[in-house]
Amino acid sequence: MGRTLAEKVWDDHVVRRAEGEPDLLYIDLHLLHEVTSPQAFDGLRQNGRRVRRLDLTIATEDHNTPTVDIDKPIADPVSRAQLETLRRNCAEFGVRLHPLGDVEQGVVHVVGPQLGLTQPGTTVVCGDSHTSTHGAFGALAFGIGTSQVEHVLATQTLPLARPRTMAITVEGELPDGVTAKDLILAIIARIGTGGGQGYILEYRGPAIEKLSMEARMTICNMSIEAGARAGMIAPDQTTFDYLHGRDHAPEGEDWDAAVAYWKTLRTDDDAVFDAEVIINGAELAPFVTWGTNPGQGAPLSASVPDPASYDDASERLAAEKALEYMGLTAGQPLRDIQVDTVFVGSCTNGRIEDLRSAAAILDGRKVADGVRMLVVPGSVRVSLQAVAEGLDKVFTSSGAEWRHAGCSMCLGMNPDQLAPGERSASTSNRNFEGRQGKGGRTHLVSPQVAAATAVLGHLASPADLSDDAARTPAGV
Amino acid sequence: MEAFTAHTGRAVPLRRSNVDTDQIIPAHWLKKVTRDGFEDGLFEAWRKDSDFVLNRPERQGATVLVAGPDFGTGSSREHAVWALQNYGFKTVVSSRFADIFRGNSLKNGLLTVVLPQETVERLQELTEADPTVEITVDLESRQVRAADLTADFELDENARWRLLNGLDDISLTLQNETDISTYESSRPTFKPRTIQV
Ligand code: SF4
């Protein structure tokens, strides 16, 4: 019988298989950041262990880093101590580190792919749940806890039980104005935050094949929000083209050998998935969340649902609690929801294409009075590219703030936070209670919806923007 | 890791579904660089409410958390497990756990027990009706017992063996050093490297 993409990559990394034990899996790439690594390095020290494969390990700083005044010492002493701990640990053990101020610094899931380190058929782990992002390359990539970080540092392997596989086939073509973010939000609303649990998802079908690498990363990034272990997309010419010439992409004969191998990484026609979901891409529309988990979403044209309409008691209760926290009432049109903050950034939507699409909408327009808009590039490289294209000017002249790269308001570990009761339209991935700051309320949206929302001050899509005669786009 | 054989204690019923790790331990606590001292961050936002179940006098000293479905969703932060343990919880019962959270908990000796939703609700009703009721989670017999309720649970044999013996995963893996080296010697040259060594 044929094998799925996930099974092929899995099988190629089994170091040891024994009856009644989890497989011991080899890890090709281990990404580190400041938040989930200190206790792991401590563990190594306590046991007199070293890092087994420094050449498969890389670290950057992202969660705590400020996005303004980065040349000044970090104001928060606890954040500063954590960054200093990472720097000390990397120096002591010999790990390559891209600290704040370095040109390769950025959100760990933006940095790996742009360096060409994330490649098809590799296993990638990081002490961060959004490691699923790297699955866009046909890599088997998943988030791990700190004990596992220590385990990989010490052994370059992980004992793991093989997950089941689920195909998510997206038929048809996404209509104009519908993005990868809308698609993944719609998928999560359909299968639920626990729907992918125990599975590796494989996104496939014509609508997926058409997507750029960056859009594919947006999709795979949020696999974890459906509860999945990982999300994958089979590598194809789009993948190879993206990788070719990047810093760590193979060269010469190695490139040819790599491509030959990568081309085998497709689910066989006779392979069987443990579960299948089919989505009609042509039926989709801009999608936003109204609740406090990423599965609580609806098309922008819909209204806040009535909790009483849920058959399942725990879903009903969750919806009631969500409306209470979000300060919304059932039946209220989603388009009427006013926001005071717009955040464009994160490992979901902080790459250059995301910034371009937000800028294209803001060009020649103004952020509405009373709305604060933060644009935070996913990495320094993304930032430099945006500046080279003049996108920063578009953002600042529309009234948005252009910031330094990092996680920023995606989780509010640095000073970029919502105040209690503030409401954001955010291109990030989690609308949990307090995620963007204590008492803050988050609506997850695409970069296009974020930009249109910033202009109108309420949740909106670019189609809602009237053609403004006074608009004089600079045309970037 | 501490071994887990059986535990008996009073319970806290947490009637919420989808309790994500941001609720269990908010992000600002993640700046700490140790594994201890997270107890005050546990459910920090909810604990501001004096009526929150954890704050009730009758729940003080409870060690068994009986939670709603999809417990531990969201981020991979192991701090969520440490916070529960630092606070004093030895075991969490739910009908469904997020994968990463479950993996993290078992690595730290916090036993996560999966029971059918109706059994979880019966346990919640029992402890709500009488907060002094003790729940026993017995890993040896894979059974949960409370008052007249007895429920079997499953846990794969390997995870159970490691928990019962408090075995450290890294030492176990390093016993297979030769397998790792053999695998490494056959890795293709086109695989990425972060530095030249
Ligand atoms: S951008 Fe957000 S989701 Fe991504 S790694 Fe940073 S905090 Fe996590």
Side-chain angles (χ1 to χ4, degrees):
Chain A
M1 197 180 69
R3 292 178 302 160
T4 64
L5 164 62
E7 288 162 348
K8 288 183 184 183
V9 179
W10 186 282
D11 289 347
D12 284 348
H13 290 86
V14 175
V15 168
R16 178 189 143 89
R17 181 171 281 167
E19 185 59 31
E21 287 180 30
D23 285 348
L24 189 63
L25 222 60
Y26 199 79
I27 303 303
D28 288 320
L29 179 64
H30 188 190
L31 307 162
L32 296 167
H33 62 86
E34 74 273 18
V35 180
T36 52
S37 63
Q39 297 86 351
F41 280 112
D42 268 352
L44 290 186
R45 251 191 304 269
Q46 276 159 21
N47 293 288
R49 291 175 177 138
R50 61 192 178 88
V51 177
R52 183 180 177 93
R53 293 294 299 260
L54 291 168
D55 59 336
L56 305 182
T57 311
I58 188 169
T60 187
E61 300 173 352
D62 52 7
H63 285 67
N64 277 276
T65 51
T67 57
V68 285
D69 298 334
I70 65 156
D71 46 336
K72 306 214 177 84
I74 295 165
D76 176 351
V78 199
S79 285
R80 192 169 64 229
Q82 194 167 61
L83 292 166
E84 281 165 0
T85 304
L86 180 70
R87 291 171 197 177
R88 256 201 323 276
N89 283 330
C90 286
E92 178 183 337
F93 287 89
V95 174
R96 170 175 167 185
L97 168 69
H98 295 294
L100 186 64
D102 186 276
V103 71
E104 301 298 349
Q105 180 259 340
V107 181
V108 65
H109 310 307
V110 178
V111 168
Q114 84 191 2
L115 282 170
L117 284 167
T118 305
Q119 294 177 14
T122 55
T123 44
V124 181
V125 298
C126 174
D128 188 281
S129 57
H130 292 100
T131 310
S132 59
T133 312
H134 308 262
F137 291 79
L140 180 60
F142 44 86
I144 56 177
T146 297
S147 294
Q148 289 172 306
V149 170
E150 183 181 339
H151 196 283
V152 176
L153 287 171
T155 72
Q156 204 58 35
T157 63
L158 272 181
L160 292 166
R162 184 147 125 175
R164 291 167 293 167
T165 57
M166 181 189 290
I168 298 194
T169 306
V170 187
E171 306 280 13
E173 211 174 307
L174 299 182
D176 272 354
V178 175
T179 68
K181 183 64 164 288
D182 304 305
L183 171 56
I184 188 64
L185 285 173
I187 291 172
I188 299 165
R190 164 95 162 265
I191 69 174
T193 52
Q197 217 199 323
Y199 290 101
I200 298 173
L201 311 182
E202 182 182 334
Y203 305 96
R204 55 212 310 256
I208 299 292
E209 285 161 27
K210 281 225 167 110
L211 296 176
S212 69
M213 279 319 296
E214 298 198 352
R216 292 179 191 184
M217 286 188 248
T218 301
I219 304 268
C220 288
N221 173 275
M222 292 193 70
S223 304
I224 182 72
E225 309 311 334
R229 202 74 186 84
M232 299 177 86
I233 293 174
D236 59 11
Q237 198 57 44
T238 305
T239 322
F240 310 152
D241 291 345
Y242 177 94
L243 278 169
H244 192 78
R246 287 191 185 262
D247 269 14
H248 292 272
E251 291 171 41
E253 277 173 31
D254 269 349
W255 172 262
D256 298 335
V259 172
Y261 170 62
W262 296 346
K263 285 185 171 164
T264 68
L265 298 173
R266 307 196 69 82
T267 294
D268 296 324
D269 291 340
D270 56 343
V272 181
F273 289 93
D274 298 304
E276 288 203 59
V277 173
I278 296 177
I279 306 265
N280 183 356
E283 286 175 356
L284 296 177
F287 213 87
V288 301
T289 63
W290 48 264
T292 52
N293 72 56
Q296 292 175 323
L300 178 61
S301 55
S303 299
V304 176
D306 184 350
S309 67
Y310 290 92
D311 296 333
D312 181 87
S314 77
E315 270 186 56
R316 187 161 57 237
L317 187 65
E320 279 169 13
K321 283 203 173 6
L323 294 199
E324 191 188 321
Y325 181 85
M326 294 294 289
L328 298 172
T329 40
Q332 182 179 1
L334 292 170
R335 271 201 175 81
D336 288 358
I337 297 174
Q338 307 271 337
V339 306
D340 29 54
T341 302
V342 173
F343 172 66
V344 172
S346 87
C347 58
T348 313
N349 281 127
R351 284 170 291 265
I352 191 70
E353 289 176 11
D354 301 311
L355 301 192
R356 281 180 196 142
S357 64
I361 292 155
L362 283 176
D363 194 5
R365 295 192 169 99
K366 291 277 178 229
V367 172
D369 283 346
V371 173
R372 155 176 79 141
M373 180 175 188
L374 250 66
V375 184
V376 183
S379 70
V380 176
R381 290 276 179 209
V382 170
S383 175
L384 292 173
Q385 178 70 27
V387 169
E389 296 178 21
L391 305 185
D392 58 326
K393 294 276 170 335
V394 175
F395 290 122
T396 48
S397 44
S398 71
E401 295 175 40
W402 172 249
R403 296 293 190 90
H404 185 78
C407 293
S408 179
M409 197 181 266
C410 176
L411 92 166
M413 267 184 90
N414 75 353
D416 308 340
Q417 298 185 14
L418 294 180
E422 273 188 339
R423 187 183 296 282
S424 77
S426 174
T427 67
S428 55
N429 43 46
R430 287 191 174 138
N431 50 347
F432 298 156
E433 289 181 22
R435 169 81 175 178
Q436 297 190 295
K438 231 176 261 174
R441 296 158 167 170
T442 303
H443 297 274
L444 300 178
V445 300
S446 72
Q448 283 87 329
V449 168
T453 299
V455 172
L456 292 173
H458 59 80
L459 291 182
S461 75
D464 300 325
L465 296 168
S466 58
D467 252 329
D468 185 348
R471 185 184 174 216
T472 47
V476 288
Chain B
M1 178 176 91
E2 231 179 282
F4 189 109
T5 46
H7 175 79
T8 300
R10 285 179 294 111
V12 174
L14 185 64
R15 284 196 183 260
R16 284 178 185 251
S17 62
N18 257 299
V19 172
D20 57 72
T21 52
D22 280 75
Q23 305 316 315
I24 301 174
I25 185 88
H28 69 98
W29 282 88
L30 272 49
K31 297 177 186 179
K32 286 170 62 68
V33 295
T34 58
R35 282 175 187 253
D36 46 31
F38 290 98
E39 55 276 10
D40 292 338
L42 181 70
F43 302 125
E44 186 180 51
W46 296 338
R47 267 160 82 185
K48 301 237 155 74
D49 172 3
S50 58
D51 278 345
F52 178 57
V53 62
L54 221 60
N55 291 331
R56 315 277 316 162
E58 67 274 20
R59 301 294 165 191
Q60 301 316 304
T63 50
V64 179
L65 184 66
V66 188
D70 292 314
F71 187 82
T73 53
S75 107
S76 64
R77 58 187 74 159
E78 202 155 314
H79 313 67
V81 172
W82 303 331
L84 286 159
Q85 289 183 313
N86 292 166
Y87 186 84
F89 286 110
K90 302 286 181 209
T91 172
V92 185
V93 180
S94 169
S95 61
R96 207 155 61 174
F97 291 97
D99 286 337
I100 303 180
F101 175 82
R102 185 141 211 248
N104 287 342
S105 64
L106 297 177
K107 292 221 181 307
N108 285 274
L110 176 76
L111 179 59
T112 41
V113 178
V114 178
L115 289 175
Q117 182 59 22
E118 63 265 24
T119 314
V120 175
E121 280 170 28
R122 276 197 55 208
L123 285 170
Q124 289 174 333
E125 283 157 18
L126 273 176
T127 178
E128 278 162 358
D130 177 3
T132 65
V133 163
E134 294 201 319
I135 297 181
T136 296
V137 175
D138 186 340
L139 182 58
E140 265 167 317
S141 62
R142 276 185 267 218
Q143 226 174 41
V144 173
R145 295 182 294 270
D148 60 343
L149 179 149
T150 304
D152 293 326
F153 67 89
E154 285 183 32
L155 185 70
D156 77 79
E157 196 40 54
N158 189 268
R160 177 169 170 265
W161 167 72
R162 282 183 287 127
L163 272 172
L164 285 174
N165 296 291
L167 295 175
D168 157 31
D169 270 8
I170 297 180
S171 316
L172 287 176
T173 296
L174 288 174
Q175 290 171 11
N176 301 312
E177 219 296 310
T178 33
D179 292 328
I180 303 175
S181 300
T182 308
Y183 182 90
E184 283 176 331
S185 63
S186 67
R187 289 177 78 240
T189 55
F190 59 72
K191 292 274 183 177
R193 282 163 188 262
T194 57
I195 50 170
Q196 292 306 325
V197 283

